[in-house]
Amino acid sequence: MSKPREANKNSYWSNYASRIILNTASHPIEYAKVLIQLGYEPIPPRPCTTFFGKPALKLPNIFDYVKHIKTVDGFAGMYRGLVPKLCGSLVCAVTTEKVLQRYAGEVSRDDDEEHQQNVEDPRGKFVKDLKRDIVSRTSAIIISHPFHVITIRMMAQFVGNETRYMGLFSSIGEVYKENGILGFFSGLVPRVLGDIIFILLASSLTFAVNSYVFEEPDLQMYTNATMSFLASAITYPFQVVSNCMAVSNSGLAAGMPPLMPMYSNWSDCWFDLSNRQQLKRGSSLLIRYYTGPQVIISGRPVPLPKNDNMNLSY
């Protein structure tokens, strides 16, 4: 094995190890965020005032939510769903790497004239890179999505204190028993659409700003992060809908009435959440306000009981 190839291989494994460490460390926060996205709020809101002094009801922040999970399930309970999540992350990384390698091989077979043209044409290079990113990301999501479904369903069991989805292999059988083969791809369409739109927005905005606004390299280095943040905020509702669809009709309490309506497809879920202004729930992790039915009594907001038991929040 040549030294460059060996160095690349070591780099890949180093990236995989870093990904595993990062996913493990952030899992409790991601776990709590998923439960919020599903609309589950076990801790009642408390009265507070907004930055402008307006009375409001405040929900626990993400760290309070993680603490609640630990109180109920213990320290190990905060890592429910970690194994399939790591498997999915690894599959996603390997798939992305293989697609990029194949794409690089195809590009290297182009003739010198076309290659020279792409070098001289920034727009041509941008379009090629955009296609490469979309193909690699979409392929990785499709192949790794079954692990994502199992992860979300394992987490969603917290809502009903269930134990249907436990080990990885037993969960595979449970998904198949409940929904068949298609169950492994529940919520795939909104997830893929969200990522494609994210790549299109982030890449296009970065290219436009760096080409026509910021010509200084020192300023261009911050453009990608800024545009990615903006694109992430715009496409966030697709993540909420995808996770809801991964649980819908799963046999879990979190995916059935009264906690969640029975959705026929992802667009049905989208319009329902949109009508209830819930497409952005979970987007704010530190300052979260209750937006469900409430009344003001003696200058203090009081939540009204709801028939569907679903707390509405951001």
Side-chain angles (χ1 to χ4, degrees):
M1 181 180 294
S2 62
K3 289 185 177 180
R5 181 172 297 181
E6 184 177 356
N8 288 336
K9 185 175 180 180
N10 292 334
S11 176
Y12 291 143
W13 283 111
S14 177
N15 290 336
Y16 296 156
S18 300
R19 184 184 291 258
I20 290 174
I21 293 173
L22 180 61
N23 284 334
T24 302
S26 63
H27 187 76
I29 293 178
E30 184 67 23
Y31 182 8
K33 182 177 179 180
V34 167
L35 294 181
I36 294 172
Q37 290 175 336
L38 296 179
Y40 181 63
E41 296 289 351
I43 305 175
R46 58 181 177 83
C48 70
T49 56
T50 65
F51 180 79
F52 299 100
K54 182 180 178 180
L57 290 169
K58 189 176 183 179
L59 287 163
N61 61 39
I62 194 69
F63 299 106
D64 292 330
Y65 211 124
V66 171
K67 184 178 179 181
H68 173 75
I69 294 174
K70 181 181 178 182
T71 300
V72 175
D73 281 348
F75 181 83
M78 296 190 299
Y79 292 90
R80 182 183 298 190
L82 177 61
V83 172
K85 177 184 174 181
L86 294 179
C87 291
S89 178
L90 183 60
V91 169
C92 188
V94 172
T95 303
T96 301
E97 173 199 332
K98 297 300 181 183
V99 173
L100 291 178
Q101 286 178 349
R102 180 163 184 175
Y103 183 88
E106 291 176 353
V107 171
S108 65
R109 289 193 291 269
D110 291 344
D111 55 43
D112 294 337
E113 182 179 350
E114 182 180 356
H115 178 69
Q116 183 65 29
Q117 181 180 359
N118 287 335
V119 171
E120 296 175 353
D121 181 15
R123 293 186 181 181
K125 183 178 184 303
F126 163 72
V127 171
K128 273 202 167 186
D129 290 345
L130 184 63
K131 291 180 180 178
R132 176 201 63 195
D133 293 341
I134 290 177
V135 171
S136 62
R137 181 59 183 167
T138 301
S139 301
I141 288 177
I142 293 175
I143 294 177
S144 65
H145 192 73
F147 294 101
H148 179 75
V149 172
I150 293 173
T151 299
I152 300 301
R153 293 191 179 187
M154 281 187 175
M155 294 175 174
Q157 291 183 127
F158 181 85
V159 176
N161 193 27
E162 297 149 304
T163 56
R164 298 183 60 178
Y165 297 88
M166 296 302 292
L168 176 60
F169 296 105
S170 62
S171 295
I172 292 175
E174 190 67 27
V175 173
Y176 183 79
K177 184 177 72 174
E178 282 291 333
N179 310 111
I181 293 295
L182 293 180
F184 293 101
F185 299 95
S186 301
L188 174 63
V189 174
R191 189 179 178 206
V192 169
L193 285 177
D195 269 74
I196 291 177
I197 296 174
F198 169 83
I199 294 173
L200 287 172
L201 285 175
S203 300
S204 300
L205 290 174
T206 299
F207 177 77
V209 171
N210 286 343
S211 299
Y212 304 108
V213 180
F214 298 141
E215 297 182 358
E216 298 84 356
D218 292 340
L219 295 177
Q220 290 181 353
M221 62 184 297
Y222 300 106
T223 306
N224 185 47
T226 303
M227 297 302 109
S228 295
F229 177 81
L230 178 61
S232 178
I234 294 174
T235 58
Y236 182 81
F238 288 95
Q239 184 184 143
V240 176
V241 173
S242 176
N243 287 343
C244 286
M245 291 306 298
V247 176
S248 180
N249 301 314
S250 63
L252 297 174
M256 297 187 299
L259 298 178
M260 182 183 293
M262 301 292 286
Y263 298 122
S264 56
N265 50 57
W266 75 270
S267 60
D268 183 25
C269 177
W270 180 287
F271 288 121
D272 174 65
L273 294 179
S274 177
N275 290 336
R276 296 191 284 115
Q277 299 182 348
Q278 292 296 291
L279 283 174
K280 299 288 285 185
R281 63 188 180 197
S283 59
S284 177
L285 300 181
L286 297 179
I287 302 177
R288 305 175 55 234
Y289 293 110
Y290 174 85
T291 61
Q294 54 189 282
V295 294
I296 304 297
I297 300 178
S298 300
R300 297 172 64 88
V302 178
L304 292 176
K306 300 177 293 300
N307 294 330
D308 60 358
N309 280 336
M310 184 177 293
N311 288 321
L312 307 179
S313 61
Y314 286 109

